[in-house]
Amino acid sequence: MSYLEVLEPLVRSLIAPEAPQTDQLARFPRAALDALGEAGLLGLISAGEVGGMGLGLEQACQVVERIARDCPSTAMVVTMHYAGAALIEKYGPAEIRSAIARGEHLTTLAWSETGSRSHFWAPVGTARPDGDDFVLNGNKSMVTSADHADSYVWSSRPAHTPQGASTLWLVDSRAQGLQCPAAFDGLGLRGNASAPVRAEAVRVPASAMLGADGAGGDIMNGDALPVFANLVASTAIGIADGTLQRATQHITASRFAESGEALCDLPTIRAYLARAQLRADQARTLRDDTLAALATGRADAMLRVLEVKAAAAEAALDVTDTAMRMCGGAAFRKEAGIERLFRDARAASIMGPTSDVLYDFIGRALCGLPLA
Ligand SMILES: Cc1cc2nc3c(=O)[nH]c(=O)nc-3n(C[C@H](O)[C@H](O)[C@H](O)COP(=O)(O)OP(=O)(O)OC[C@H]3O[C@@H](n4cnc5c(N)ncnc54)[C@H](O)[C@@H]3O)c2cc1C
């Protein structure tokens, strides 16, 4: 059975039916994560040598895209897990890699801070050497799966190398000195537990460092951004697809009593649908081209990486906005499921690097200027 055949029944029997409650109660989708772990899907990108499925970014994108059609909150939790797992696969210890492969370890990125805000590449949190250990202090502003993940891929200022932009750490979420001071009560992605995490004198061993001290910026750009940008884009594409599917169902089924015509008999409504479908298809095509550029080492791969998240995030905003208009008052009601996806779609464009930051980066890349 392929990984998508393993996923489909889980989405249909568990993730999709739970999605409205996940949203309404801002409830972390624990049962879904447990089921995905048991099915091996949390270990999708873990190497075969540690017991994982040994698949890659393309397949991870398909997984989060499919989940996002029905539950974007769960898709974002899986997105951040894969983003962290990719770094742990390359720089982390075998023991945690095996636990991820077994589906027994959920991870996430803890990068955004109250100080550096969405400029995650310039953290203000610190790492102070103390004997053989390091002591972390910092205020993370929004961490998906906060208080539910087993580990955080944590960023700080470098411990020893002032010229380096940042250093990455693998931090056990149960480490003493870590706390989540407030629960998440957001507009959208309400089930993803994207809460603040504070580190006060959290002691970690030197082995917790992922890559070299001061190498965080290179790892963020070289290893993390291609994975993260494509995964967030795929979540946005899944939201657009789920919205189009629900909107099409509504406009073909809803009729005017006086004429017997359906909403889809109105040319204006059909044109809105067509434009929204184009936006979704353009985003998917760019995502697929970005994955192809990365897989073949094409010269424009990094430009595509900068483009893909902005394109898909903005497409999801447009598609969900259009669906709200096409489906009228019915879309305001929770039963149609469209307003939930409309709210969930707001996140991707303001997750770092935000669309506006990416526009600046793309412009800089085109002009031959340094990115940051
Ligand atoms: C649902 C959700 C889940 C998240 N999960 C995580 C997570 O797991 N891990 C994590 O580390 N973070 C996470 N984040 C945080 C996210 O990545 C951003 O850091 C956060 O949303 C930025 O919020 P802010 O208020 O600090 O934005 P600000 O940085 O204050 O930005 C405010 C506005 O200014 C614009 N802006 C900022 N800088 C520039 C610039 N240089 N040029 C042009 N415009 C600019 C932005 O585009 C934005 O419109 C999550 C956020 C959300 C919404």
Short mmCIF file of all heavy atoms in Angstrom, two decimals, residues 178-228:
data_model
loop_
_atom_site.label_atom_id
_atom_site.label_comp_id
_atom_site.label_asym_id
_atom_site.label_seq_id
_atom_site.Cartn_x
_atom_site.Cartn_y
_atom_site.Cartn_z
N LEU A 178 11.50 25.33 30.84
CA LEU A 178 10.65 25.63 29.69
C LEU A 178 9.22 25.77 30.16
O LEU A 178 8.74 24.95 30.95
CB LEU A 178 10.67 24.47 28.68
CG LEU A 178 11.78 24.41 27.64
CD1 LEU A 178 11.52 23.23 26.71
CD2 LEU A 178 11.90 25.70 26.83
N GLN A 179 8.53 26.78 29.68
CA GLN A 179 7.11 26.88 30.01
C GLN A 179 6.31 27.50 28.87
O GLN A 179 6.85 28.28 28.09
CB GLN A 179 6.90 27.66 31.30
CG GLN A 179 7.68 28.95 31.37
CD GLN A 179 7.23 29.81 32.53
OE1 GLN A 179 6.05 30.11 32.65
NE2 GLN A 179 8.17 30.21 33.36
N CYS A 180 5.04 27.12 28.80
CA CYS A 180 4.11 27.68 27.81
C CYS A 180 3.14 28.56 28.60
O CYS A 180 2.19 28.04 29.20
CB CYS A 180 3.34 26.58 27.09
SG CYS A 180 4.39 25.45 26.21
N PRO A 181 3.38 29.87 28.64
CA PRO A 181 2.59 30.72 29.53
C PRO A 181 1.15 30.94 29.12
O PRO A 181 0.33 31.32 29.95
CB PRO A 181 3.36 32.05 29.52
CG PRO A 181 4.24 32.03 28.33
CD PRO A 181 4.44 30.60 27.94
N ALA A 182 0.80 30.70 27.86
CA ALA A 182 -0.59 30.95 27.44
C ALA A 182 -0.99 29.97 26.36
O ALA A 182 -0.18 29.60 25.51
CB ALA A 182 -0.72 32.38 26.90
N ALA A 183 -2.27 29.55 26.41
CA ALA A 183 -2.78 28.64 25.37
C ALA A 183 -3.09 29.44 24.11
O ALA A 183 -3.20 30.67 24.16
CB ALA A 183 -4.02 27.93 25.88
N PHE A 184 -3.23 28.74 23.00
CA PHE A 184 -3.51 29.40 21.72
C PHE A 184 -5.01 29.56 21.54
O PHE A 184 -5.76 28.60 21.67
CB PHE A 184 -2.93 28.54 20.58
CG PHE A 184 -3.14 29.11 19.21
CD1 PHE A 184 -2.69 30.37 18.87
CD2 PHE A 184 -3.76 28.35 18.22
CE1 PHE A 184 -2.87 30.89 17.59
CE2 PHE A 184 -3.94 28.85 16.94
CZ PHE A 184 -3.50 30.12 16.63
N ASP A 185 -5.45 30.76 21.25
CA ASP A 185 -6.86 31.02 20.95
C ASP A 185 -6.87 31.95 19.74
O ASP A 185 -7.03 33.17 19.88
CB ASP A 185 -7.55 31.65 22.17
CG ASP A 185 -9.05 31.79 21.96
OD1 ASP A 185 -9.57 31.24 20.97
OD2 ASP A 185 -9.71 32.47 22.78
N GLY A 186 -6.66 31.37 18.56
CA GLY A 186 -6.43 32.19 17.36
C GLY A 186 -7.62 32.25 16.44
O GLY A 186 -8.63 31.56 16.62
N LEU A 187 -7.49 33.07 15.42
CA LEU A 187 -8.55 33.21 14.40
C LEU A 187 -8.71 31.93 13.60
O LEU A 187 -9.82 31.45 13.38
CB LEU A 187 -8.16 34.36 13.46
CG LEU A 187 -9.03 34.52 12.21
CD1 LEU A 187 -10.33 35.22 12.56
CD2 LEU A 187 -8.29 35.29 11.13
N GLY A 188 -7.59 31.38 13.17
CA GLY A 188 -7.63 30.16 12.35
C GLY A 188 -6.58 29.17 12.82
O GLY A 188 -5.86 29.44 13.78
N LEU A 189 -6.53 28.03 12.15
CA LEU A 189 -5.65 26.93 12.57
C LEU A 189 -5.75 26.74 14.08
O LEU A 189 -4.74 26.57 14.77
CB LEU A 189 -4.19 27.22 12.16
CG LEU A 189 -3.88 27.27 10.67
CD1 LEU A 189 -2.38 27.42 10.43
CD2 LEU A 189 -4.39 26.03 9.94
N ARG A 190 -6.98 26.78 14.56
CA ARG A 190 -7.20 26.87 16.01
C ARG A 190 -6.76 25.61 16.75
O ARG A 190 -6.55 25.64 17.95
CB ARG A 190 -8.67 27.18 16.29
CG ARG A 190 -9.03 28.62 15.97
CD ARG A 190 -10.52 28.90 16.10
NE ARG A 190 -11.10 28.46 17.35
CZ ARG A 190 -10.95 29.07 18.52
NH1 ARG A 190 -10.21 30.17 18.59
NH2 ARG A 190 -11.54 28.59 19.59
N GLY A 191 -6.60 24.49 16.00
CA GLY A 191 -6.20 23.27 16.68
C GLY A 191 -4.69 23.08 16.73
O GLY A 191 -4.22 22.08 17.27
N ASN A 192 -3.92 24.04 16.19
CA ASN A 192 -2.49 23.73 16.06
C ASN A 192 -1.65 24.14 17.27
O ASN A 192 -0.43 24.01 17.25
CB ASN A 192 -1.92 24.25 14.73
CG ASN A 192 -1.38 25.66 14.82
OD1 ASN A 192 -1.83 26.45 15.65
ND2 ASN A 192 -0.43 25.98 13.99
N ALA A 193 -2.32 24.62 18.32
CA ALA A 193 -1.62 24.89 19.60
C ALA A 193 -0.39 25.77 19.40
O ALA A 193 0.67 25.51 19.96
CB ALA A 193 -1.25 23.58 20.29
N SER A 194 -0.57 26.83 18.62
CA SER A 194 0.59 27.67 18.30
C SER A 194 0.79 28.72 19.40
O SER A 194 0.45 29.89 19.22
CB SER A 194 0.34 28.33 16.95
OG SER A 194 1.46 29.07 16.58
N ALA A 195 1.37 28.28 20.48
CA ALA A 195 1.45 29.11 21.69
C ALA A 195 2.87 29.60 21.94
O ALA A 195 3.83 29.09 21.36
CB ALA A 195 0.96 28.27 22.87
N PRO A 196 3.01 30.61 22.83
CA PRO A 196 4.36 31.05 23.21
C PRO A 196 5.08 29.98 24.04
O PRO A 196 4.43 29.21 24.76
CB PRO A 196 4.10 32.28 24.09
CG PRO A 196 2.66 32.59 23.98
CD PRO A 196 1.95 31.38 23.49
N VAL A 197 6.39 29.93 23.93
CA VAL A 197 7.21 29.05 24.78
C VAL A 197 8.36 29.90 25.32
O VAL A 197 9.06 30.57 24.55
CB VAL A 197 7.77 27.84 23.99
CG1 VAL A 197 8.65 26.97 24.91
CG2 VAL A 197 6.65 26.99 23.41
N ARG A 198 8.53 29.86 26.63
CA ARG A 198 9.59 30.65 27.26
C ARG A 198 10.67 29.72 27.82
O ARG A 198 10.35 28.69 28.42
CB ARG A 198 8.98 31.47 28.40
CG ARG A 198 9.95 32.47 29.02
CD ARG A 198 9.26 33.26 30.13
NE ARG A 198 8.09 33.99 29.63
CZ ARG A 198 7.04 34.31 30.38
NH1 ARG A 198 6.98 33.93 31.63
NH2 ARG A 198 6.04 34.99 29.86
N ALA A 199 11.93 30.07 27.58
CA ALA A 199 13.04 29.31 28.17
C ALA A 199 13.74 30.18 29.20
O ALA A 199 14.22 31.27 28.85
CB ALA A 199 14.03 28.89 27.08
N GLU A 200 13.75 29.72 30.43
CA GLU A 200 14.47 30.44 31.49
C GLU A 200 15.53 29.52 32.05
O GLU A 200 15.21 28.53 32.71
CB GLU A 200 13.51 30.88 32.60
CG GLU A 200 12.79 32.17 32.27
CD GLU A 200 11.73 32.55 33.29
OE1 GLU A 200 11.80 32.06 34.43
OE2 GLU A 200 10.83 33.32 32.90
N ALA A 201 16.76 29.80 31.71
CA ALA A 201 17.90 29.03 32.19
C ALA A 201 17.71 27.53 31.92
O ALA A 201 17.83 26.70 32.82
CB ALA A 201 18.14 29.27 33.67
N VAL A 202 17.39 27.20 30.67
CA VAL A 202 17.23 25.79 30.28
C VAL A 202 18.61 25.22 29.95
O VAL A 202 19.29 25.69 29.04
CB VAL A 202 16.28 25.67 29.07
CG1 VAL A 202 16.24 24.24 28.57
CG2 VAL A 202 14.89 26.15 29.44
N ARG A 203 19.00 24.21 30.72
CA ARG A 203 20.33 23.62 30.55
C ARG A 203 20.27 22.49 29.53
O ARG A 203 19.44 21.58 29.66
CB ARG A 203 20.80 23.09 31.91
CG ARG A 203 22.19 22.51 31.93
CD ARG A 203 22.62 22.23 33.37
NE ARG A 203 22.93 23.47 34.07
CZ ARG A 203 24.09 24.10 34.04
NH1 ARG A 203 25.10 23.60 33.35
NH2 ARG A 203 24.27 25.22 34.70
N VAL A 204 21.11 22.58 28.50
CA VAL A 204 21.16 21.50 27.49
C VAL A 204 22.62 21.05 27.34
O VAL A 204 23.54 21.87 27.49
CB VAL A 204 20.60 21.96 26.12
CG1 VAL A 204 19.12 22.26 26.18
CG2 VAL A 204 21.38 23.14 25.56
N PRO A 205 22.83 19.77 27.01
CA PRO A 205 24.21 19.31 26.79
C PRO A 205 24.74 19.83 25.46
O PRO A 205 23.96 20.22 24.58
CB PRO A 205 24.07 17.79 26.76
CG PRO A 205 22.67 17.55 26.34
CD PRO A 205 21.84 18.70 26.85
N ALA A 206 26.05 19.83 25.30
CA ALA A 206 26.66 20.29 24.04
C ALA A 206 26.13 19.48 22.86
O ALA A 206 26.01 20.00 21.74
CB ALA A 206 28.18 20.17 24.14
N SER A 207 25.77 18.21 23.11
CA SER A 207 25.29 17.35 22.02
C SER A 207 23.93 17.81 21.49
O SER A 207 23.48 17.33 20.44
CB SER A 207 25.18 15.90 22.51
OG SER A 207 24.27 15.84 23.59
N ALA A 208 23.28 18.73 22.19
CA ALA A 208 21.97 19.23 21.71
C ALA A 208 22.12 20.21 20.55
O ALA A 208 21.14 20.55 19.89
CB ALA A 208 21.21 19.90 22.85
N MET A 209 23.36 20.66 20.31
CA MET A 209 23.57 21.62 19.22
C MET A 209 23.37 20.92 17.88
O MET A 209 23.93 19.85 17.64
CB MET A 209 24.98 22.20 19.30
CG MET A 209 25.17 23.48 18.51
SD MET A 209 26.88 24.05 18.54
CE MET A 209 27.01 24.80 20.15
N LEU A 210 22.54 21.51 17.00
CA LEU A 210 22.31 20.93 15.67
C LEU A 210 23.18 21.69 14.67
O LEU A 210 22.93 22.86 14.40
CB LEU A 210 20.83 21.06 15.28
CG LEU A 210 19.83 20.27 16.15
CD1 LEU A 210 18.39 20.63 15.77
CD2 LEU A 210 20.04 18.76 16.03
N GLY A 211 24.21 21.03 14.14
CA GLY A 211 25.16 21.74 13.29
C GLY A 211 26.12 22.52 14.17
O GLY A 211 26.10 22.41 15.40
N ALA A 212 26.94 23.34 13.53
CA ALA A 212 27.97 24.07 14.29
C ALA A 212 27.41 25.33 14.94
O ALA A 212 26.37 25.84 14.52
CB ALA A 212 29.10 24.45 13.34
N ASP A 213 28.10 25.80 15.96
CA ASP A 213 27.73 27.07 16.59
C ASP A 213 27.84 28.19 15.54
O ASP A 213 28.86 28.31 14.85
CB ASP A 213 28.67 27.35 17.76
CG ASP A 213 28.23 28.56 18.56
OD1 ASP A 213 27.00 28.79 18.67
OD2 ASP A 213 29.11 29.26 19.11
N GLY A 214 26.79 28.97 15.39
CA GLY A 214 26.79 30.07 14.41
C GLY A 214 26.36 29.65 13.01
O GLY A 214 26.24 30.50 12.12
N ALA A 215 26.11 28.35 12.83
CA ALA A 215 25.73 27.87 11.48
C ALA A 215 24.22 27.88 11.26
O ALA A 215 23.74 27.44 10.21
CB ALA A 215 26.27 26.46 11.26
N GLY A 216 23.47 28.40 12.25
CA GLY A 216 22.00 28.36 12.15
C GLY A 216 21.46 29.02 10.89
O GLY A 216 20.54 28.50 10.26
N GLY A 217 22.04 30.17 10.52
CA GLY A 217 21.55 30.89 9.34
C GLY A 217 21.69 30.05 8.07
O GLY A 217 20.77 29.96 7.26
N ASP A 218 22.86 29.41 7.93
CA ASP A 218 23.08 28.57 6.74
C ASP A 218 22.12 27.38 6.73
O ASP A 218 21.61 26.98 5.68
CB ASP A 218 24.53 28.06 6.71
CG ASP A 218 25.50 29.19 6.38
OD1 ASP A 218 25.05 30.21 5.83
OD2 ASP A 218 26.71 29.05 6.70
N ILE A 219 21.91 26.80 7.91
CA ILE A 219 21.00 25.64 7.98
C ILE A 219 19.57 26.08 7.69
O ILE A 219 18.82 25.41 6.97
CB ILE A 219 21.10 24.96 9.37
CG1 ILE A 219 22.51 24.40 9.58
CG2 ILE A 219 20.06 23.86 9.51
CD1 ILE A 219 22.78 23.86 10.98
N MET A 220 19.19 27.25 8.24
CA MET A 220 17.83 27.75 7.98
C MET A 220 17.61 27.97 6.49
O MET A 220 16.58 27.58 5.93
CB MET A 220 17.62 29.09 8.71
CG MET A 220 17.39 28.94 10.21
SD MET A 220 17.37 30.57 10.99
CE MET A 220 16.91 30.15 12.67
N ASN A 221 18.59 28.59 5.83
CA ASN A 221 18.44 28.88 4.39
C ASN A 221 18.61 27.64 3.54
O ASN A 221 17.81 27.39 2.63
CB ASN A 221 19.50 29.90 3.94
CG ASN A 221 19.09 31.30 4.29
OD1 ASN A 221 17.91 31.56 4.47
ND2 ASN A 221 20.06 32.19 4.43
N GLY A 222 19.65 26.87 3.82
CA GLY A 222 20.01 25.76 2.93
C GLY A 222 19.18 24.52 3.15
O GLY A 222 18.78 23.86 2.19
N ASP A 223 18.93 24.18 4.42
CA ASP A 223 18.23 22.93 4.72
C ASP A 223 16.74 23.15 5.02
O ASP A 223 15.88 22.40 4.55
CB ASP A 223 18.85 22.23 5.94
CG ASP A 223 20.29 21.82 5.68
OD1 ASP A 223 20.55 21.18 4.65
OD2 ASP A 223 21.18 22.16 6.50
N ALA A 224 16.45 24.16 5.85
CA ALA A 224 15.08 24.29 6.35
C ALA A 224 14.15 24.99 5.37
O ALA A 224 13.02 24.54 5.15
CB ALA A 224 15.07 25.04 7.68
N LEU A 225 14.60 26.10 4.78
CA LEU A 225 13.68 26.90 3.97
C LEU A 225 13.07 26.12 2.80
O LEU A 225 11.85 26.20 2.58
CB LEU A 225 14.38 28.18 3.49
CG LEU A 225 13.45 29.22 2.84
CD1 LEU A 225 12.33 29.65 3.79
CD2 LEU A 225 14.25 30.45 2.41
N PRO A 226 13.86 25.34 2.03
CA PRO A 226 13.25 24.59 0.93
C PRO A 226 12.15 23.63 1.42
O PRO A 226 11.11 23.49 0.77
CB PRO A 226 14.42 23.81 0.33
CG PRO A 226 15.63 24.61 0.70
CD PRO A 226 15.33 25.19 2.04
N VAL A 227 12.38 23.01 2.57
CA VAL A 227 11.40 22.06 3.11
C VAL A 227 10.18 22.83 3.63
O VAL A 227 9.03 22.56 3.25
CB VAL A 227 12.04 21.23 4.25
CG1 VAL A 227 11.01 20.34 4.93
CG2 VAL A 227 13.20 20.40 3.69
N PHE A 228 10.44 23.82 4.48
CA PHE A 228 9.36 24.56 5.13
C PHE A 228 8.50 25.29 4.09
O PHE A 228 7.26 25.23 4.14
CB PHE A 228 9.98 25.57 6.11
CG PHE A 228 8.99 26.47 6.77
CD1 PHE A 228 8.20 26.00 7.80
CD2 PHE A 228 8.85 27.78 6.36
CE1 PHE A 228 7.27 26.84 8.41
CE2 PHE A 228 7.93 28.62 6.95
CZ PHE A 228 7.14 28.16 8.00
#
